[in-house]
Amino acid sequence: MKQIPIADFFKTPEKSSYRISPDGKYVSYLKPYKERQNLFIQSLADGTEQMLTSFTDNPVRGDYFWTYNNQIVFSQDFIANDSFKMYVLDLATHKTHIIMSQEKVRVNLVNRNKLQPDIITIRMNKRDPGNFDIYRLNLQTGELTPYLINTGSITDWYPDADGKIRLVRSSDGVNETILYRPDDNTPFKPIIENNFKNSVRPIAFSGVKNYFYALSNVNRDKMALVEINAEDGKEQRTIYASDNADLLFVEYSKNKHRVEFAGWEEAKPQKHFLAADIEHMYKNVQQQLKGYEIKIVDRDSSENKFILNTFTDRNPGSYYLYENNTGKLTKLGDINANLLPDELCSMQPIAYKASDGLLINGYLTLPQGDKKTNLPVVVMPHDGPWNRDSWGYDEQVQFLANRGYAVFQINYRGSTGYGKAFKSAGYKQVGGKIQDDITDGVHWLIAKKIANPKKIAIFGGRFGGFSALYGVSFHPELYNCAVVQYGLINFFTYIKDAPPFFKPYLKMTYEMVGNPETDADQLRAISPVFHTDKIKVPLIIFQGAKDQRANISELNQFVRELRKHNVDVKYFLKPNERAFFRSEHNRMEMYTEIEKFLDNNMRVKQ
């Protein structure tokens, strides 16, 4: 098997974050300039490319967007002093001006509006770090006008087609409430109340009466696409439901006020189409790109030109322009043209029974070659716990498989997408049955003779990092070594130090993970920081010093304690990084060190 250079897996994408101008004349994208992501545009008329920004310090963030009058709004994250700048770029003049500059504030787009193209609706936690308020921002003058001040614990806002916010969701962490108002001058009234095990996620108003589309698992196990009457919160009809899995996403056309398809995950992603023309587009593209998954990334105002992202488990993907009126498909760019699918490895869905009989799904990626048994294995529990692994391209998985390791990913109980009962089975099971599911999976691999029982590593980030440390603490016989990226080491400080904007979710965390006061014994029993004496195998730990969810002094102490117990620990703390390493140099160093570390610890022990 040809060894692919680390740089080919982890370099900054050649082109990414594609968008199309509302008039359909340009595509924009991010592309590296002097190792920093900058904004470029390409004319669809003649193919000419122009660089719009040339930052060499901080990259342009991927959440930029076009306004309806051909301006681009983009921002930069200044990690060193935790500040944020938002810019407006005028396409006619190519001039850029700063529209907003804030420190220690989070800002997100809520809505842009065709009727008022110079005004965007944003959410910002400037007034109170624990609560987001809604503002209208004038992109010409920079004037910021409060629109909805958050008097309670509102976590989500849903505008109608005219940009007026008529639905909101509030949460005290345990219970969520959907509230409705018919217009800006009427107070919100509660229409739906649920505890956190049930969920209603509004999508958009349907254009019929005051009905809205939503994903809901009320009175059912799996999330379904439904239509709800906003006047009284009553479900009017089920539009589509899958018996096998939660519906996880819905494609919605703002122009046509319609739901186009619903999607869910089984072994591979699935779709149910609700619009014949969109189904025709997908079938047309799939005939030209057999075996590829397709996602709509953006569309112009007339909904004739679509930007599509295509990928497989062995291909990081490409971007295409699709023109609906002609059916023409034009390649715009590859995310990473250096990687050849034939040299990468297939991601196979697997399932096994946990020790208590629950069916657990996951994925196994075997290295290329004829050898299918007695392989060195890297177990990769996902972050979460209420998250999941899905079929598709994963650069970490492909890197490890290319180095000869089988990679094992587990959607343990609590993982999303498998219904309410499966998710609820993970509540208060962090350090319990969730970890047992991982252990049972490793035993299954050994029993199937896929894994060499003497060559198993465990590798994870955040909660996956906790799972890795838990594994080597409480099942030292199973693992040779552990790789930890921005790992969670202490549930007490993780919950206590949560940033203010996380407050609405704290009570839910108490219910799902544990309450530091009433469940103190349980949280102490599972937090790795209290078990440095149990770890005997080598560790490698990576951490960004500006990660808002990490307690760096505690992590430093944890490493010191491990070393006192003669644990072989390699520790890399990077000053100007958050959880994910943004610097290409730091990423290359991290994976070079991981490669050496696994090589040393997985090859030598026979």
Side-chain angles (χ1 to χ4, degrees):
M1 182 166 57
K2 177 190 166 189
Q3 193 164 99
I4 298 166
I6 287 174
D8 285 359
F9 287 109
F10 299 107
K11 66 177 187 173
T12 305
E14 291 155 25
K15 292 180 180 179
S16 62
S17 303
Y18 270 87
R19 308 274 190 277
I20 191 162
S21 61
D23 62 12
K25 290 180 179 176
Y26 299 94
V27 290
S28 56
Y29 43 90
L30 297 183
K31 181 175 157 179
Y33 166 72
K34 295 192 176 175
E35 296 186 5
R36 296 288 183 269
Q37 292 279 53
N38 275 278
L39 260 176
F40 288 71
I41 59 162
Q42 182 183 343
S43 161
L44 291 178
D46 60 15
T48 53
E49 180 185 76
Q50 288 178 288
M51 183 164 78
L52 298 180
T53 64
S54 52
F55 297 110
T56 55
D57 50 0
N58 289 278
V60 174
R61 284 180 17 165
D63 58 356
Y64 76 92
F65 57 92
W66 287 80
T67 68
Y68 285 105
N69 55 355
N70 266 17
Q71 295 183 313
I72 298 176
V73 180
F74 67 92
S75 55
Q76 285 177 298
D77 181 11
F78 294 80
I79 293 176
N81 61 354
D82 198 11
S83 64
F84 165 95
K85 281 185 185 169
M86 184 185 276
Y87 302 81
V88 178
L89 188 150
D90 187 88
L91 203 59
T93 62
H94 283 206
K95 287 200 172 135
T96 298
H97 66 278
I98 295 173
I99 197 73
M100 184 189 288
S101 181
Q102 300 286 343
E103 284 191 15
K104 296 181 172 52
V105 166
R106 291 169 83 92
V107 180
N108 303 95
L109 175 74
V110 174
N111 190 53
R112 52 189 189 134
N113 190 344
K114 275 185 190 170
L115 303 176
Q116 295 176 294
D118 284 334
I119 292 176
I120 60 169
T121 306
I122 58 169
R123 64 174 207 147
M124 182 165 65
N125 63 342
K126 184 180 181 181
R127 177 186 61 86
D128 170 4
N131 273 308
F132 285 89
D133 299 317
I134 304 296
Y135 296 88
R136 294 272 165 78
L137 174 63
N138 187 312
L139 298 174
Q140 297 304 315
T141 64
E143 185 186 2
L144 200 60
T145 311
Y147 175 43
L148 273 177
I149 299 302
N150 197 348
T151 51
S153 46
I154 296 172
T155 57
D156 297 280
W157 297 261
Y158 304 95
D160 66 11
D162 296 330
K164 294 185 174 71
I165 291 174
R166 293 168 58 202
L167 280 175
V168 295
R169 180 165 61 168
S170 77
S171 170
D172 67 1
V174 177
N175 300 300
E176 70 167 28
T177 306
I178 307 287
L179 302 99
Y180 165 74
R181 64 179 183 179
D183 55 59
D184 280 359
N185 302 317
T186 312
F188 283 101
K189 67 164 189 179
I191 54 165
I192 300 169
E193 294 187 23
N194 289 312
N195 82 346
F196 65 92
K197 291 183 183 179
N198 294 306
S199 181
V200 173
R201 284 167 38 206
I203 295 157
F205 282 92
S206 65
V208 177
K209 301 181 184 174
N210 281 314
Y211 293 0
F212 63 92
Y213 299 123
L215 288 174
S216 168
N217 65 359
V218 175
N219 300 322
R220 49 171 70 85
D221 182 57
K222 308 284 194 294
M223 283 288 233
L225 176 61
V226 300
E227 193 171 23
I228 294 172
N229 184 347
E231 301 285 353
D232 57 14
K234 291 209 165 51
E235 200 175 290
Q236 298 302 302
R237 64 183 177 122
T238 301
I239 298 166
Y240 186 73
S242 161
D243 293 336
N244 302 329
D246 292 317
L247 298 189
L248 293 176
F249 57 91
V250 169
E251 187 68 31
Y252 175 77
S253 161
K254 286 183 179 171
N255 235 15
K256 296 177 180 168
H257 306 299
R258 67 176 188 182
V259 175
E260 295 174 335
F261 63 78
W264 67 98
E265 300 268 355
E266 289 184 34
K268 288 186 174 183
Q270 307 287 324
K271 291 180 185 68
H272 175 78
F273 289 96
L274 296 154
D277 55 331
I278 296 295
E279 184 173 17
H280 173 74
M281 175 176 88
Y282 267 78
K283 282 185 173 165
N284 190 353
V285 174
Q286 268 164 340
Q287 281 172 353
Q288 298 176 66
L289 299 169
K290 286 188 171 52
Y292 279 77
E293 278 304 308
I294 301 158
K295 284 184 177 173
I296 296 174
V297 174
D298 202 9
R299 55 181 85 189
D300 66 1
S301 292
S302 67
E303 301 200 359
N304 176 45
K305 292 177 182 172
F306 291 78
I307 293 181
L308 306 177
N309 170 228
T310 65
F311 64 91
T312 70
D313 54 340
R314 300 165 72 167
N315 189 330
S318 306
Y319 289 95
Y320 288 84
L321 178 73
Y322 181 83
E323 294 172 74
N324 215 7
N325 55 357
T326 61
K328 186 181 173 193
L329 188 67
T330 309
K331 192 176 204 178
L332 294 169
D334 294 309
I335 292 170
N336 189 343
N338 286 25
L339 294 171
L340 304 174
D342 288 350
E343 294 177 356
L344 299 178
C345 303
S346 170
M347 186 183 200
Q348 296 298 331
I350 57 93
Y352 61 91
K353 288 274 180 77
S355 45
D356 65 355
L358 189 64
L359 184 72
I360 306 295
N361 289 277
Y363 297 94
L364 180 64
T365 303
L366 298 179
Q368 285 199 353
D370 296 332
K371 193 177 179 199
K372 306 294 178 200
T373 57
N374 204 36
L375 292 161
V377 173
V378 178
V379 180
M380 287 192 80
H382 62 72
D383 184 16
W386 331 111
N387 208 321
R388 63 165 295 141
D389 283 315
S390 298
W391 184 89
Y393 178 78
D394 183 315
E395 65 269 17
Q396 289 194 137
V397 170
Q398 291 298 334
F399 160 64
L400 293 167
N402 180 256
R403 296 309 189 255
Y405 302 102
V407 184
F408 187 46
Q409 297 169 281
I410 304 127
N411 283 330
Y412 44 74
R413 70 193 67 205
S415 299
T416 53
Y418 296 96
K420 193 161 43 181
F422 187 83
K423 188 172 183 182
S424 300
Y427 294 160
K428 293 281 181 86
Q429 293 303 320
V430 167
K433 288 184 177 175
I434 285 177
Q435 267 52 55
D436 292 346
D437 291 345
I438 298 168
T439 307
D440 291 342
V442 178
H443 286 306
W444 175 82
L445 277 184
I446 293 168
K448 287 269 187 190
K449 302 216 168 3
I450 295 165
N452 177 340
K454 294 180 178 167
K455 292 187 177 185
I456 301 174
I458 186 164
F459 177 153
R462 189 77 79 210
F463 182 78
F466 157 74
S467 293
L469 290 167
Y470 183 95
V472 295
S473 299
F474 295 97
H475 297 283
E477 76 291 350
L478 268 190
Y479 301 107
N480 282 50
C481 57
V483 179
V484 178
Q485 296 168 318
Y486 44 95
L488 194 171
I489 61 168
N490 184 346
F491 282 97
F492 292 101
T493 49
Y494 186 75
I495 294 169
K496 181 175 72 68
D497 296 346
F501 54 82
F502 191 76
K503 260 193 247 160
Y505 307 101
L506 270 184
K507 283 189 191 166
M508 185 166 69
T509 305
Y510 297 163
E511 295 284 326
M512 294 162 84
V513 178
N515 184 323
E517 291 178 13
T518 55
D519 301 307
D521 290 349
Q522 158 71 0
L523 294 181
R524 176 172 282 273
I526 65 173
S527 292
V529 74
F530 302 113
H531 301 287
T532 49
D533 58 321
K534 293 187 174 66
I535 296 174
K536 309 295 181 201
V537 302
L539 300 178
I540 188 165
I541 298 172
F542 299 91
Q543 179 64 52
K546 299 286 185 179
D547 177 358
Q548 289 177 296
R549 297 310 313 269
N551 184 319
I552 302 300
S553 59
E554 183 174 65
L555 181 58
N556 292 341
Q557 180 61 28
F558 176 64
V559 171
R560 282 196 291 272
E561 286 297 316
L562 287 167
R563 286 176 176 158
K564 271 189 207 166
H565 289 99
N566 296 318
V567 178
D568 175 6
V569 187
K570 290 184 166 52
Y571 177 40
F572 297 86
L573 181 68
K574 294 297 176 184
N576 276 337
E577 295 282 13
R578 298 201 195 278
F580 298 94
F581 286 6
R582 200 168 67 173
S583 152
E584 193 172 288
H585 171 81
N586 287 343
R587 283 200 307 278
M588 298 307 167
E589 182 191 18
M590 173 163 68
Y591 290 105
T592 302
E593 292 293 339
I594 288 171
E595 180 176 30
K596 282 194 296 199
F597 175 81
L598 289 174
D599 204 45
N600 289 339
N601 291 293
M602 298 280 274
R603 305 282 182 219
V604 290
K605 296 182 185 177
Q606 296 303 320

